[in-house]
């Protein structure tokens, strides 16, 4: 009988003793080699698919929706700010004050996202992944009601506070959903399912753009309803997600509840014999116990995680500082310069959003074939080239008649490049680079960097644009290039690797050995591991 067939047997028939308090040795033939065991090469079951869709729609969709929801109705919202001030104080609002209040309305969202990221580690460790997503809906429903009644209450302050609160919702969801889905997924589906949250972010952006069309809700009477609609995905998630499993890895490794973890795995995988996958989780648990549990502070000083931490910081900074928000900010003026009528720009913007959704869907289907690293490299390379060409095109836009069309093409090419790599993949690899105990703290660091970078671009870009004009995109192209070079030199391919295999890959760069429990054997990644024995203490 082959070794792979041997793993098809229940534990007792493989000669594995699970008596508590007894130390045993077993041959684990495939976990740390390229020859993947069958239990990790699995299909997408109905339960796993529904859990993915409900959590992504209920949480990630809101992130994207609230990014774009105030763009189209902004003139009418600013008019409301001015009218409210006039009714209160008997005089129109000064232009500088209006600019300040509107800047706060926009910037409170990424600031809230930063605060939400700081809450990730304590909440997911206390409430679990699913529990945190359910709790997070408070930060969506409450601000949705606040924004919906803001016009009736004649208070623009309510909108500013609500944007901060809904930003907290986005900060939590942008980190917890990828973590949750990454822990639910078998390794052969982890990349595809890890991109689903980003797909729903782009769908949320597109939905806000469509609803923001003047003839729908992007007008003087429809904008409060448009802002309040963010409560609907939250309510759907609150009603449906409780019927689906919590992360089995969280239940087994962090809560020590093997019975619940096993039931959750059986539902997610669609069959009863999940002993081998449970064993892989136990091995991860044992390796972590050898190092101890990690807080955020210890994560920052842990030598064995040094390059993983640097990598997620670089990728999240590169994702946000690469100019994606600036591209969207500049898009309307580019379209106008190309001769698109003012009333038609909103439809072109919707078309750009549709391209973003389509390319993210493409990334879902190609990530497991092409790998994470290739998509990151190609994505940042495309963005870098598009920024350089856009700088040239904008410089000659007034003097060359056909150059505005080149500018539009550059915007679309940039969106395509960002959608296939820089946008979705950092979330996937953040899940993969860290084991269970370090993962919440890692997402907390990655999320904080993500939102601070987002906030920084929103704060600084208007000044860059005023001072440098089109040449500001050269800065973004340089950031894309630096990020690309770092990924090329440091970030390995994590496709079809277990969490422990990825940990071992970085262990070589960090110049440390990863040990299991009280054993002295480092994990093996080479083909020699097919014959190696892994010593594990009883669970």
């Amino acid at each position: 009988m082959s070794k792979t067939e041997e793993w098809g047997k229940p534990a007792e028939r493989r000669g594995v003793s699970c008596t508590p308090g007894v130390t045993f040795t077993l041959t684990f033939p495939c976990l740390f080699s390229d020859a993947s065991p069958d239990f990790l090469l699995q299909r997408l079951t109905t339960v796993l698919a529904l859990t993915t869709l409900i959590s992504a729609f209920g949480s990630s969709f809101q992130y994207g929706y609230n990014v774009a929801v105030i763009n189209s109705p902004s003139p009418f919202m600013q008019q409301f700010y001015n009218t409210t001030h006039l009714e209160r104080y008997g005089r129109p609002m000064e232009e500088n004050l209006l600019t300040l209040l509107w800047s706060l309305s926009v910037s409170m969202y990424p600031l809230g996202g930063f605060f939400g990221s700081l809450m990730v580690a304590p909440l997911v460790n206390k409430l679990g992944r699913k529990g945190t997503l359910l709790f997070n809906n408070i930060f969506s429903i409450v601000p949705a009601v606040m924004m919906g009644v803001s016009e009736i209450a004649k208070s623009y302050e309510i909108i500013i506070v609500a944007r901060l609160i809904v930003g907290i919702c986005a900060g939590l969801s942008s980190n917890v959903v990828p973590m949750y889905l990454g822990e639910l997924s078998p390794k052969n589906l982890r990349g595809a399912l890890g991109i689903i949250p980003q797909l729903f972010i782009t769908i949320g952006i597109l939905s806000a753009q469509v609803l923001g069309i003047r003839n729908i809700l992007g007008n003087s009477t429809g904008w409060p309803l448009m802002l309040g609609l963010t409560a609907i995905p939250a309510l759907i998630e609150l009603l449906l997600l409780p019927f689906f499993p919590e992360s089995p890895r969280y239940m087994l490794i962090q809560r020590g509840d093997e019975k619940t973890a096993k039931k959750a795995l059986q539902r997610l995988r669609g069959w009863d014999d999940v002993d081998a996958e449970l064993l892989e989780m136990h091995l991860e648990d044992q390796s972590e116990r050898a190092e101890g549990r990690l807080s955020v502070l210890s994560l920052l000083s842990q030598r064995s995680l040094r390059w993983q931490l640097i990598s997620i910081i670089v990728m999240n900074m590169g994702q946000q500082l690469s100019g994606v928000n600036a591209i969207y900010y500049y898009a309307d003026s580019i379209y106008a310069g190309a001769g698109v009528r003012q009333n038609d720009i909103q439809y072109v913007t919707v078309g750009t959003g549709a391209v973003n959704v389509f390319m993210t869907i493409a990334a879902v289907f190609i990530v497991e074939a092409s790998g994470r690293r290739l998509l990151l490299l190609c994505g940042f390379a495309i963005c870098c080239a598009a920024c350089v060409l856009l700088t040239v095109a904008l410089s000659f836009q007034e003097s060359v008649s056909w150059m505005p069309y080149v500018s539009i093409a550059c915007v679309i090419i940039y969106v395509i490049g960002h959608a296939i790599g820089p946008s979705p993949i950092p979330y996937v690899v953040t899940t993969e680079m860290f084991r269970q105990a370090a993962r919440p703290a890692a997402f907390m660091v990655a999320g904080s960097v993500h939102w601070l970078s987002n906030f920084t671009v929103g704060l600084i870009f208007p000044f860059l644009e005023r001072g440098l004009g089109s040449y500001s995109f050269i800065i973004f192209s340089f950031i894309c290039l630096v990020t690309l070079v770092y990924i090329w030199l440091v970030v390995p391919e994590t496709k079809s690797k277990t969490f422990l295999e990825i940990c071992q890959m970085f262990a070589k760069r960090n110049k440390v050995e990863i040990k299991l429990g009280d054993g002295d054997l480092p994990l093996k990644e080479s083909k020699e591991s097919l014959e190696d024995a892994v010593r594990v203490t009883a669970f």
Side-chain angles (χ1 to χ4, degrees):
M1 181 178 291
S2 69
K3 289 184 174 62
T4 302
E5 290 171 335
E6 182 74 14
W7 277 106
K9 293 182 179 181
E12 64 271 17
R13 291 173 60 193
R14 293 194 298 265
V16 176
S17 172
C18 295
T19 306
V22 178
T23 302
F24 62 91
T25 302
L26 69 157
T27 299
F28 201 71
C30 301
L31 182 57
F32 309 117
S33 72
D34 293 332
S36 302
D38 291 342
F39 79 85
L40 287 172
L41 300 178
Q42 298 176 5
R43 60 189 175 84
L44 181 63
T45 61
T46 302
V47 172
L48 181 55
L50 289 176
T51 307
T52 301
L53 294 176
I54 291 168
S55 59
F57 176 66
S59 296
S60 301
F61 177 90
Q62 295 186 70
Y63 172 9
Y65 184 83
N66 286 293
V67 163
V69 71
I70 65 172
N71 290 350
S72 182
S74 60
F76 305 104
M77 292 178 67
Q78 292 180 54
Q79 183 181 351
F80 163 69
Y81 287 18
N82 196 26
T83 302
T84 301
H85 188 275
L86 180 63
E87 291 177 359
R88 286 184 190 175
Y89 305 107
R91 64 180 185 276
M93 185 180 290
E94 294 180 4
E95 186 175 344
N96 288 340
L97 179 58
L98 178 60
T99 302
L100 174 62
L101 290 174
W102 185 249
S103 298
L104 286 174
S105 302
V106 175
S107 61
M108 282 298 103
Y109 184 68
L111 187 62
F114 171 70
F115 291 136
S117 296
L118 296 180
M119 298 164 61
V120 169
L123 283 178
V124 297
N125 287 330
K126 180 71 174 178
L127 303 178
R129 282 59 167 153
K130 185 181 80 169
T132 300
L133 291 178
L134 293 173
F135 173 78
N136 190 33
N137 288 308
I138 295 173
F139 299 114
S140 174
I141 296 172
V142 171
V145 174
M146 292 170 66
M147 290 186 289
V149 302
S150 58
E151 188 177 35
I152 298 173
K154 297 186 183 301
S155 173
Y156 46 75
E157 294 89 349
I158 288 179
I159 295 176
I160 295 172
V161 174
R163 289 283 292 175
L164 177 68
I165 298 172
V166 81
I168 293 174
C169 172
L172 278 166
S173 65
S174 64
N175 292 287
V176 179
V177 178
M179 187 191 310
Y180 180 47
L181 298 183
E183 293 179 6
L184 294 183
S185 309
K187 71 173 187 179
N188 60 303
L189 297 176
R190 202 165 55 223
L193 295 186
I195 293 178
I196 295 296
Q198 181 62 34
L199 173 60
F200 273 85
I201 290 172
T202 62
I203 293 173
I205 293 172
L206 179 60
S207 300
Q209 291 170 339
V210 171
L211 292 175
I213 291 173
R214 297 286 186 266
N215 295 332
I216 304 178
L217 292 178
N219 49 57
S220 58
T221 59
W223 66 263
L225 175 60
M226 185 177 169
L227 267 59
L229 286 178
T230 189
I232 292 178
L235 290 171
I236 292 173
E237 184 175 59
L238 270 177
L239 290 172
L240 298 181
L241 193 59
F243 297 101
F244 292 88
E246 176 58 273
S247 163
R249 289 181 177 272
Y250 169 76
M251 294 307 300
L252 191 149
I253 298 176
Q254 292 181 254
R255 299 296 295 272
D257 189 348
E258 182 168 355
K259 183 178 179 181
T260 303
K262 184 173 182 178
K263 287 182 179 179
L265 267 180
Q266 289 170 338
R267 289 187 64 196
L268 290 164
R269 302 298 179 251
W271 55 66
D272 292 334
D273 186 8
V274 293
D275 290 344
E277 194 165 357
L278 285 172
L279 180 57
E280 185 260 338
M281 294 181 193
H282 277 300
L283 287 170
E284 183 178 342
D285 187 26
Q286 290 294 325
S287 70
E288 288 190 326
R289 287 182 186 178
E291 296 178 351
R293 302 293 180 180
L294 296 177
S295 65
V296 174
L297 290 178
S298 60
L299 175 69
L300 296 175
S301 59
Q302 192 81 10
R303 180 180 174 184
S304 63
L305 298 174
R306 182 177 300 163
W307 282 103
Q308 294 96 308
L309 189 63
I310 294 172
S311 296
I312 64 168
I313 289 173
V314 169
M315 284 187 286
N316 278 277
M317 288 183 68
Q319 180 196 61
Q320 290 300 308
L321 299 180
S322 59
V324 60
N325 295 322
I327 287 284
Y328 281 115
Y329 176 87
Y330 221 92
D332 284 2
S333 61
I334 292 173
Y335 299 147
V340 179
R341 291 183 300 178
Q342 192 65 38
N343 193 52
D344 293 339
I345 288 177
Q346 57 186 333
Y347 300 107
V348 180
T349 301
V350 169
T352 305
V355 170
N356 197 7
V357 172
F358 176 79
M359 292 311 301
T360 307
I361 292 173
V364 171
F365 289 99
I366 65 177
V367 65
E368 294 299 350
S370 62
R372 290 76 158 131
R373 189 169 180 268
L374 180 61
L375 288 183
L376 282 169
L377 291 172
C378 290
F380 277 110
I382 291 171
C383 291
C384 179
C387 283
V388 172
L389 290 174
L390 183 59
T391 302
V392 175
L394 290 174
S395 299
F396 292 96
Q397 188 152 298
E398 300 296 329
S399 56
V400 181
S401 60
W402 48 266
M403 198 59 75
Y405 301 103
V406 176
S407 300
I408 292 180
C410 288
V411 170
I412 295 173
I413 291 170
Y414 182 96
V415 168
I416 289 172
H418 214 272
I420 64 171
S423 282
I425 304 300
Y427 297 109
V428 177
V429 296
T430 301
T431 300
E432 294 179 327
M433 285 182 180
F434 296 88
R435 288 173 290 168
Q436 193 71 20
R439 197 171 293 127
F443 266 98
M444 185 170 165
V445 173
S448 299
V449 170
H450 170 99
W451 287 101
L452 278 177
S453 300
N454 187 320
F455 179 77
T456 301
V457 171
L459 190 66
I460 293 178
F461 179 72
F463 298 99
L464 280 178
E465 193 270 332
R466 187 182 304 171
L468 298 176
S470 60
Y471 293 100
S472 57
F473 288 99
I474 290 294
I475 297 174
F476 299 129
S477 67
F478 176 75
I479 292 172
C480 290
L481 180 61
V482 170
T483 310
L484 185 152
V485 172
Y486 177 88
I487 293 169
W488 176 268
L489 295 176
V490 176
V491 178
E493 179 54 67
T494 58
K495 181 185 74 169
S496 297
K497 302 287 186 183
T498 66
F499 294 124
L500 282 172
E501 286 178 307
I502 296 167
C503 185
Q504 177 62 19
M505 290 161 64
F506 274 101
K508 295 176 182 178
R509 184 172 290 277
N510 291 320
K511 298 180 181 179
V512 297
E513 282 190 350
I514 307 299
K515 296 183 179 181
L516 297 181
D518 298 325
D520 298 323
L521 293 175
L523 302 183
K524 301 291 184 180
E525 187 191 14
S526 67
K527 294 183 179 179
E528 294 174 0
S529 62
L530 288 169
E531 307 300 332
D532 285 338
V534 180
R535 188 177 303 151
V536 187
T537 55
F539 315 124

